Amino acid sequence: MPIAEVSARSFRWINITGATADDAPEIRYLREHFPYFSALDIKDCVSTGQRPKLEVYDRYAFLVLMFPIYNRQTREIESSEIDFFIGKDFLITIHDNKRHVLEETFKEFHAQAKSSNEAPDVLLTVIDLINKLLGACFPMLDHISLDLHAIERLIFRGKEREMVQEILVTRRNIVDFRKIMQAQKNTIKKLTLAQRVLGLPNAEHVGNVLSNTVERSKEIWDNLEAFKEAVEALQATNESLISYRLNDVMKTYTTISVVIFTLTLITTIFAARLPHTPLIETDYGFYAMLGILLVVALSAVGIFKWKRWL
């Protein structure tokens, strides 16, 4: 359903999906039932590519967070935006329904609301949801780590050229992941400001839980930093190996060219058939010429090896 609502005593969680246009029913619902919401905040729910941010007002806080999603078809990490309207007795989440973790958490909350006699803490609910969304990032980190190990093994097995594209794909995903998570940690930290302004309870407990969430976000960022350094090192190593093998090929072709040039020069001299040219009129001149060319070719190759040019 585009708009789903769960009530637990004095608390409401409204989960909205499919708000893709300014005149969509979901957006009209927000304007009608929450007229005090800022028009800019509602507009941000429709537009994509927002940066993580937190805006705090007298009656509510507006939180925008970005989370990564792996597209298996394009092998690309894409960003998925989730918008939160946080009030004293309500929580509104708006998203594109690509994060299954959010839907599962909403269903769990629905089941718990039926059996609980206490109103949930709105900020703890938000932080718990963010924790689960951050937790869903770790399988993607594991996938990137496995890709890096596979690339490293194949690079040193003589598959440098095949790994060029794999390295670029992995590097692009790490860069995209970093762009999504870069401002996440500082935005999550600001939730304490929303707690103070809105007068939400359990300040000490919320502070401890929020601190753990910030640490989880920092852990993701630290992994991405390590991956960034690793993929850059692998790319430099791969380019060095390709360059080294190319130099070997060029050395071989240069040696062949020099040998062929020398042999061509000798045969051209004898082909001139000038007076007093040796071996021209002898019975075994042809075979003698082949012997001379063979000796010259072997001597040239020997000189190249002695000089370590080959």
Side-chain angles (χ1 to χ4, degrees), residues 124-310:
L124 286 176
T125 302
V126 172
I127 296 172
D128 178 63
L129 176 57
I130 294 173
N131 251 320
K132 291 179 178 179
L133 290 167
L134 291 174
C137 295
F138 285 96
M140 280 181 275
L141 293 175
D142 294 338
H143 190 278
I144 292 175
S145 179
L146 291 174
D147 287 344
L148 291 174
H149 286 302
I151 290 170
E152 183 180 358
R153 287 197 304 271
L154 292 173
I155 281 177
F156 292 102
R157 290 181 181 176
K159 296 187 177 181
E160 303 88 4
R161 295 185 183 277
E162 294 88 338
M163 289 299 102
V164 171
Q165 183 176 359
E166 293 299 317
I167 290 173
L168 293 177
V169 169
T170 304
R171 185 168 186 175
R172 178 197 63 190
N173 287 338
I174 293 173
V175 170
D176 291 342
F177 208 147
R178 280 168 52 85
K179 286 192 294 186
I180 294 168
M181 301 301 298
Q182 190 164 14
Q184 200 87 300
K185 180 180 64 174
N186 293 331
T187 304
I188 294 172
K189 279 182 180 179
K190 294 178 183 177
L191 281 172
T192 54
L193 176 62
Q195 183 183 33
R196 290 197 299 269
V197 173
L198 297 176
L200 300 174
N202 298 328
E204 184 176 352
H205 182 56
V206 169
N208 293 333
V209 176
L210 188 61
S211 177
N212 293 333
T213 305
V214 172
E215 284 300 315
R216 173 168 282 195
S217 178
K218 184 177 181 298
E219 183 181 353
I220 293 173
W221 180 255
D222 290 342
N223 276 277
L224 290 172
E225 283 287 294
F227 290 160
K228 174 178 175 290
E229 295 177 3
V231 76
E232 288 175 352
L234 287 174
Q235 186 174 20
T237 302
N238 195 59
E239 290 174 353
S240 297
L241 287 172
I242 291 175
S243 177
Y244 177 77
R245 293 186 183 277
L246 182 61
N247 288 338
D248 273 353
V249 172
M250 293 305 298
K251 285 180 181 179
T252 303
Y253 278 118
T254 302
T255 302
I256 294 172
S257 300
V258 170
V259 171
I260 291 175
F261 173 77
T262 305
L263 299 180
T264 303
L265 177 63
I266 294 173
T267 54
T268 302
I269 293 173
F270 279 92
R273 303 182 68 86
L274 297 173
H276 309 295
T277 301
L279 305 178
I280 296 298
E281 302 296 337
T282 60
D283 294 337
Y284 299 99
F286 174 74
Y287 300 104
M289 175 63 65
L290 290 180
I292 292 171
L293 294 178
L294 180 62
V295 170
V296 171
L298 293 175
S299 299
V301 173
I303 291 172
F304 273 103
K305 285 186 172 294
W306 178 59
K307 291 288 188 179
R308 295 184 179 179
W309 293 343
L310 183 64

